[in-house]
Amino acid sequence: MSADVNGEARGIRARYRIPLAVGIGCYVLAVIAGMFLLADHFGPVVQVPLWIAHGVVLIILIEKLGVGQSSLYAALFIVFTSVLSAYVTGVARDDLTLQHRGIEITATVVKERLDPPQGRKGRNSYYTLERQDGTRVPGPEMETTSDLYDVGRVLTVIEDPKGELRPQTPGEADATGDVVGAGAFALAAIGSVGWMTWRGSDAARRRDEQKGPGRLRKVYKTVTGDHSTREEQEEKLRQALRTYPADRRGYIKVAPEEHPDLTHGRAARIAWEVGLRAEAVGNRGAWRFKETVVEEVPHD
């Protein structure tokens, strides 16, 4: 009966947290899409406050999953990965647009310039290109992250007839890597929501194990007809800790429903008096006691 009732309690928590987690995940994806669209019309002066507001909303929402202070770090991670996803999505869109409407031509590098030096920061190279008929390739200068070409170099590039996008070589215009990268960053953000949901559920389970007599334990007491006093239950627990055999991992297992008036913390205190410690993790509906444990339950 212990497993059934505990499973029902976990199910109730899951039914509450899962819709909330799904809602947070949809909100994160909506923000990534919205900020991607806003990037075409607004600069950092508008975008930075919006990202900060997004982080604050995330902290509030993730706290409702029951993870405590971890919500701050989770929100920062989600904002960081969301920014990267929105940025890389923009790069992928430009590459896809260039592939769709661009024209492959042969052009010559007629001018080259470098970014001004800024400490150890890498310097991008910019190239002015001309067609074979001597007309300038429309659009911004072609850009590379390193000095790849010299003046006079003949290249095959894809130009944008509208002159809105930078010309690129066919290899640089491949958007596959950008699409995968944007998806990976978005997946990392959603994965963080899932991780926080699991942590919140696990923290709630631990709190349930350590809190005082509640509805579930009253159910046990009513069903079993156990009307023993708190003192009798404490003595029963002491006797169990002295006589129950240990399992293959060395733990003595006790059913909490047999001691409905005792908290996990009080049970830990009694175990400490007889030379044992109460395990706080991995109990699966039982109290476990051993001389050394992974995480000890605080004493009442």
Side-chain angles (χ1 to χ4, degrees):
M1 177 167 178
S2 173
D4 292 342
V5 177
N6 283 338
E8 182 180 354
R10 286 193 294 270
I12 293 173
R13 290 195 297 267
R15 286 195 294 271
Y16 165 74
R17 287 188 175 83
I18 290 176
L20 177 59
V22 171
I24 295 174
C26 292
Y27 166 70
V28 169
L29 293 177
V31 168
I32 292 175
M35 295 302 291
F36 158 69
L37 295 175
L38 286 176
D40 291 336
H41 307 286
F42 302 98
V45 174
V46 175
Q47 293 184 50
V48 170
L50 290 177
W51 281 118
I52 293 174
H54 173 50
V56 173
V57 172
L58 279 175
I59 292 173
I60 295 172
L61 292 175
I62 295 175
E63 279 184 347
K64 295 183 180 298
L65 295 174
V67 295
Q69 294 182 347
S70 298
S71 59
L72 172 61
Y73 303 105
L76 290 175
F77 177 79
I78 293 172
V79 170
F80 176 71
T81 52
S82 297
V83 170
L84 292 177
S85 180
Y87 172 76
V88 177
T89 299
V91 175
R93 179 198 56 186
D94 290 346
D95 290 342
L96 290 171
T97 301
L98 186 62
Q99 288 180 350
H100 178 70
R101 74 183 185 204
I103 302 172
E104 190 170 298
I105 64 168
T106 300
T108 304
V109 178
V110 296
K111 185 178 179 182
E112 176 188 4
R113 67 180 180 88
L114 292 174
D115 280 333
Q118 297 181 5
R120 297 182 179 180
K121 181 180 177 181
R123 302 172 66 186
N124 289 356
S125 296
Y126 300 89
Y127 305 94
T128 301
L129 305 177
E130 283 187 359
R131 299 189 186 95
Q132 296 300 298
D133 60 7
T135 58
R136 186 179 182 279
V137 174
E141 301 164 297
M142 187 175 75
E143 179 182 3
T144 62
T145 56
S146 58
D147 186 6
L148 298 178
Y149 311 113
D150 296 323
V151 173
R153 177 75 176 271
V154 178
L155 304 171
T156 298
V157 297
I158 301 175
E159 72 167 10
D160 179 16
K162 295 184 178 181
E164 297 174 355
L165 303 175
R166 297 180 185 275
Q168 296 188 64
T169 62
E172 292 174 339
D174 185 3
T176 303
D178 296 329
V179 171
V180 172
F185 286 126
L187 185 61
I190 299 302
S192 182
V193 175
W195 173 247
M196 289 298 102
T197 304
W198 181 87
R199 289 197 58 183
S201 179
D202 186 62
R205 178 185 58 78
R206 295 191 190 185
R207 288 193 296 269
D208 287 345
E209 291 176 351
Q210 297 179 22
K211 69 183 180 180
R215 182 177 303 173
L216 296 180
R217 293 183 180 177
K218 290 179 180 179
V219 169
Y220 290 135
K221 200 166 185 178
T222 301
V223 172
T224 61
D226 184 357
H227 300 292
S228 59
T229 64
R230 178 187 176 93
E231 291 73 19
E232 290 172 339
Q233 293 170 26
E234 290 183 355
E235 186 57 35
K236 182 180 178 180
L237 177 60
R238 289 188 181 92
Q239 186 66 21
L241 294 175
R242 295 189 185 101
T243 60
Y244 278 16
D247 63 12
R248 61 184 180 83
R249 298 180 61 188
Y251 285 101
I252 295 174
K253 290 185 178 181
V254 177
E257 62 268 25
E258 296 178 359
H259 311 82
D261 294 322
L262 302 185
T263 66
H264 203 181
R266 178 56 183 166
R269 174 69 182 186
I270 294 172
W272 178 79
E273 292 173 356
V274 299
L276 299 173
R277 290 177 171 80
E279 179 63 81
V281 297
N283 290 317
R284 297 184 180 179
W287 288 341
R288 297 192 303 162
F289 304 91
K290 193 178 178 183
E291 291 184 0
T292 58
V293 296
V294 177
E295 183 178 341
E296 185 177 0
V297 175
H299 302 167
D300 275 1

